[in-house]
Amino acid sequence: MLQNIAQFGSDVCMIDLPVISDPRGDLTFMEGNNHIPFDIKRVYYLYNVPVDSERGGHAHRELEQVVFALSGSFRMRVDDGRNKADVWLNNPRKGLYLRNMIWREIDTFSQGAVCMVLASHPYDEADYYREYEEFIRDV
């Protein structure tokens, strides 16, 4: 289920994944082109991040992502060049979908936070905007 972040329309939205619960615990699953709105080409995760660290600080020309807090919590600051919002991730069933051309910054990591990212493309440095001014110019 997709829940749009109002000012971004469908460019930034929360994805609520299914859960199967029983006395042994919870199981959540996801499938590319079903629960995730693209074919998953890369998965990576951040962990052992110091609580005062900042990550992200970039946008992508083509790449789409879904970001999850598998453990703990952190804040995602998202910006499409016109609108900005802070989104807290703290539930492993809820992922933040980011289309291309969305600037993102991640901070305020809790102790033991694990951030998992599903990406629509393999890593390509040429796809990154690393300078905010260049991103704003191209938006």
Side-chain angles (χ1 to χ4, degrees):
M1 176 168 61
L2 298 177
Q3 300 166 336
N4 292 351
I5 307 297
Q7 64 266 43
F8 296 96
S10 63
D11 290 345
V12 177
C13 55
M14 293 300 296
I15 296 175
D16 195 5
L17 295 175
V19 63
I20 299 170
S21 297
D22 70 25
R24 301 170 296 167
D26 296 335
L27 181 145
T28 291
F29 60 94
M30 63 200 81
E31 299 170 348
N33 292 312
N34 184 0
H35 306 99
I36 305 302
F38 52 78
D39 191 24
I40 301 165
K41 299 290 176 125
R42 181 167 56 116
V43 177
Y44 64 93
Y45 48 96
L46 307 169
Y47 58 100
N48 293 334
V49 179
V51 295
D52 58 348
S53 288
E54 296 178 3
R55 302 293 307 233
H58 63 268
H60 293 279
R61 289 171 168 82
E62 299 295 328
L63 183 101
E64 300 171 65
Q65 295 180 321
V66 181
V67 181
F68 294 90
L70 293 184
S71 180
S73 64
F74 49 85
R75 176 176 60 184
M76 297 278 310
R77 297 193 130 177
V78 293
D79 175 352
D80 67 0
R82 294 172 298 285
N83 303 293
K84 296 180 181 186
D86 288 350
V87 180
W88 286 89
L89 295 177
N90 58 12
N91 181 335
R93 284 189 52 219
K94 296 184 183 291
L96 183 64
Y97 170 63
L98 304 169
R99 286 189 56 99
N100 63 315
M101 298 302 288
I102 302 291
W103 188 267
R104 79 279 324 268
E105 299 171 1
I106 313 171
D107 64 10
T108 319
F109 287 87
S110 68
Q111 186 69 37
V114 177
C115 170
M116 181 182 72
V117 181
L118 308 178
S120 64
H121 293 79
Y123 175 80
D124 178 5
E125 181 60 32
D127 187 58
Y128 282 75
Y129 284 97
R130 301 261 186 210
E131 299 297 327
Y132 185 73
E133 294 74 23
E134 180 187 5
F135 165 73
I136 290 298
R137 185 192 70 228
D138 287 356
V139 171

